[in-house]
Structures are given as structure tokens and as C-alpha cells.
Amino acid sequence: MSTATETVFSASQPASSRARDLPDVLRLSYMVFVLVALLNHAWFTDLSAPTPLGEVEGGSLATQLLFGSMILVGIPLVWHLGLQRLRPMATKSVLLFGAWLLTTSLLASDPLLSLRRLALYVIAAFLAVSLLAVARSARQLADAFAMAGFTVLISSYLGLVLVPGLTIHSHFDLTGEIGHDGLWRGIFSHKNEAGMAMTILVIFGLFIAAVRSRWLGWTMVVSAGIFLIGSGSKTPMITLVMVLGLSWLCGILRSRMARLVLLVGPVMVLMTITIGSIVLPPVRAVLDVVLPDATFTARNEIWTFAIDNIADKPLTGFGFGAFWLTERTVYASVVNPDSNWVQMATQAHNSFLDAALAMGLPGFVLTLIVFIALPTRDFLYRLPQGSTDPSAELFLRLWQMVLLSASLETILFNPNTPAFGMIVMAIAGLRMLTVRPVIV
């Protein structure tokens, strides 16, 4: 048997585990529901209606009920199939990351707020990993991708025609952003969120075309690609091109060092020109010369504010989800009248800075290990030579897609975004490929 088709999914079950089997209809129903919820669980948001601050701080009750109900189904399913399926994820680094995240949340200025947001984070992460435990095969996962993906696509396209006020940005939006009129957002709350989701669906489509149906897969790729263009989200477009190029090169290059540079190099460059533009004057000077907008759409002000506050609590941070939209930021303009924008800021627009804000510098280091170092090691260990298989390409593309966006958006710590569940699933998939490779 060729190892070219190895995946994390078992093609056949040993006799001892047949009693733990589940009907395919149950597996598929669960996976489709979870995938749709992870891609977007708040459909057709009315941006012309103001959102109370308390609702933003505390989270939507509907979201909490939805994720709570899903985990009440997910835990028994995974338990029935065998918790050993998740054992590969219990590495020392992951456990230490989780322990430090919990510790800093307990030490937060508002522990209840931090723990409530942490609970949603953990639930979303479990649901993402559970997809790989529940899927019987790569083909079945592709079926779930197709059902969930086309549900999102068809609903978004129909929304453009039937309810354009809820699916297309307009001057009635209360987001305070200019120049978005006419851009598509579909069932999502913002064009950038729609853009990220469409790049994910393009990656899904390529996987479907490789393991299930070329016609079905390429239909999804084209449909999602057109919507991505309609959303006007430039960063996801550029990132998608980069990711497809990286995965192609990783498939043909034999050198482990070359692959290491491909996987880590772009991420390190982005971190250097974002965080480095604030803390390293030489980097700032170069960016001012070579970039037309060296402020990164005014993100540099947010990064400066974040770094100043990280210096106030460098060891434990402020706790998970306990910094933005709290008293420290909402009333920041009283101390500094030039920082009125901080009152409405919901994130640092940089996942690594938000990691340091939430968990201090130790949390920043652990974030680099869990989200960058471990997946890189797993990919290089799994495929030291030769071309990648469809499952490895799927996980590689999803991981790199989200990681390359993490220096401009706080998506590694926001379970409300479509990207979060995908990078957790990708990291879990790369980890499982190193310990439980089997034939489709």
C-alpha cells in the first residue's frame, strides 16, 4: 500500500471496536451542524441596529446556548467512539498552554468574565477537534464539508437577492467604517469575516475535489472564489494565493530545511513588520519608505496601546477576554483624550499581542509554541520527503491560512470567527497524522 493516501481516518474498524460504531447519518449530521456553526453561528446580522455594550461584553445568549447544546452532543459521541482518539492532542505543550490560560483567567481583574469567555473558547476548540474523531473517513469528512459549505454559499447568495440589507454593506451600517458600501458579506456580520470564510471554502473545495468529486469540489471553489471577490476582502485574497503557492512548493520540495523556511518564514516576516514596526525603530523606518500605508490601516495605534499595557502586566496579563471593552479601555480616553478609538476597540488586531495581553509574556511564548512550532514539527515529521497527500494538504492550507492572518487580526483567540475552529482542526489533524496514519 502506498503511503500517499494516508490520513488520520480509519478505513476499516477492528472487530474489537465495532460495538463503538455510529451510523453514518449521525456522524454526518453532527459534523455538518458543527461546521456550519463554526463557520458562522450568527446569521444575517443587522448592522444598522446598535449593539448594547453589555451584550458585546457578556456574549450572546443564543451563542452560549448553541455551543452548549453542541458540546452536549459532541462529548457523548466522542466518548462512545473512544476518548483515545483525542489522546494525540494531549502533548505537554498543549497541556501547559491550557493550564496557563486557566491560571491567568483566574487571576484576571474580572475572573467571571474571563472564565465565561474561556469556556466558549474551550468548547469551540473541542468541537473542532471532535470533527476528526467522529469522521469515519476522509471521504465522509469531504461530504460534511460539501454539505456545510454549500449551505453557507447558497444562503449567502440567496441573501444578496432576497435580503440585501442584511447581506451587503451599506451607508446605514453603524460600524463606523467608510468605503464598504456595496461589498458582499452574505450571512456574515462583516465583509472580512465573509472573505475569510470563503477562503476556507475554497480550501474545502480543493479537498473535496481530491478525495470525493472533482465536479462538486471545483463548483465550491469557483462559487466561493466569486463571493470572495464580491466581498472586496483583499487580505484573504492575497493570503489564499500565498497559501496555495506554499502548499504546492511543499509538495515538490524534498529539503526539510526548505520546507521549514516556507512554513515559518512568511509568518516571522509578518510578525516583524507588525509588532516589529512598533518596538524596532529600524523596521519602522524601512516600512515608512517601502509601504504606501505603513500604519496598516491605523492598526499601529492599537499595537502601540497594546504594547504599553503589556508592559504594565508582563507576567500574567489581564486574563482571557478581560481587556478590550472593559473599564480599562472604555474609559481610556479620560486619561488620554487622543485615544477615543480605544472605547470601541474589541481586539489588538494581532493574535500574538492579544496573547500577551491575556496571558503575559509566558502566554505569548506558549502561543508561538502551540500554534507555530508544534504544527511545523508535526508536518516536517509526517512528511520529511516526497509529496503531500490530500489530508495533509488540507490541514497545511487551513493552518497557514489562519496563521498568516493572525498578525493582522485576533483570530487565534476568538471562537466567534470562522478561522478559529479551522486552525484548531488543522493543528489537531497535523498532530494526529504523526501518530495514527492509516489508509483511506
Side-chain angles (χ1 to χ4, degrees), residues 272-288:
T272 300
I273 66 175
T274 52
I275 299 177
S277 68
I278 305 301
V279 299
L280 301 173
V283 174
R284 177 80 258 165
V286 172
L287 292 178
D288 287 335

Side-chain angles (χ1 to χ4, degrees), residues 269-402:
V269 170
L270 283 171
M271 290 183 64
T272 300
I273 66 175
T274 52
I275 299 177
S277 68
I278 305 301
V279 299
L280 301 173
V283 174
R284 177 80 258 165
V286 172
L287 292 178
D288 287 335
V289 174
V290 301
L291 289 183
D293 178 19
T295 68
F296 297 94
T297 320
R299 284 180 171 87
N300 62 331
E301 294 183 24
I302 301 177
W303 297 335
T304 300
F305 180 81
I307 291 172
D308 289 342
N309 280 274
I310 290 169
D312 290 343
K313 298 193 70 173
L315 182 59
T316 61
F318 295 89
F320 185 76
F323 180 76
W324 302 106
L325 289 180
T326 62
E327 290 185 359
R328 189 176 184 90
T329 57
V330 171
Y331 301 111
S333 60
V334 176
V335 179
N336 183 4
D338 294 329
S339 61
N340 289 331
W341 56 267
V342 176
Q343 296 177 354
M344 298 303 297
T346 59
Q347 55 167 298
H349 286 284
N350 186 294
S351 295
F352 308 104
L353 286 180
D354 267 320
L357 282 170
M359 298 180 287
L361 295 180
F364 172 81
V365 174
L366 287 170
T367 298
L368 296 182
I369 293 173
V370 170
F371 287 94
I372 300 179
L374 291 183
T376 301
R377 181 202 65 182
D378 290 339
F379 182 81
L380 295 177
Y381 174 84
R382 168 68 175 82
L383 297 159
Q385 292 182 339
S387 61
T388 56
D389 59 67
S391 294
E393 286 187 337
L394 167 71
F395 300 138
L396 170 65
R397 287 166 176 166
L398 289 174
W399 168 52
Q400 283 287 303
M401 169 62 66
V402 181

Side-chain angles (χ1 to χ4, degrees), residues 199-239:
T199 60
I200 292 169
L201 293 185
V202 168
I203 294 172
F204 281 3
L206 294 173
F207 179 70
I208 294 167
V211 303
R212 194 66 178 89
S213 165
R214 289 185 179 181
W215 179 86
L216 195 65
W218 281 104
T219 298
M220 178 174 289
V221 169
V222 173
S223 301
I226 292 173
F227 204 99
L228 174 60
I229 295 172
S231 73
S233 298
K234 297 182 180 62
T235 300
M237 294 181 199
I238 296 171
T239 307

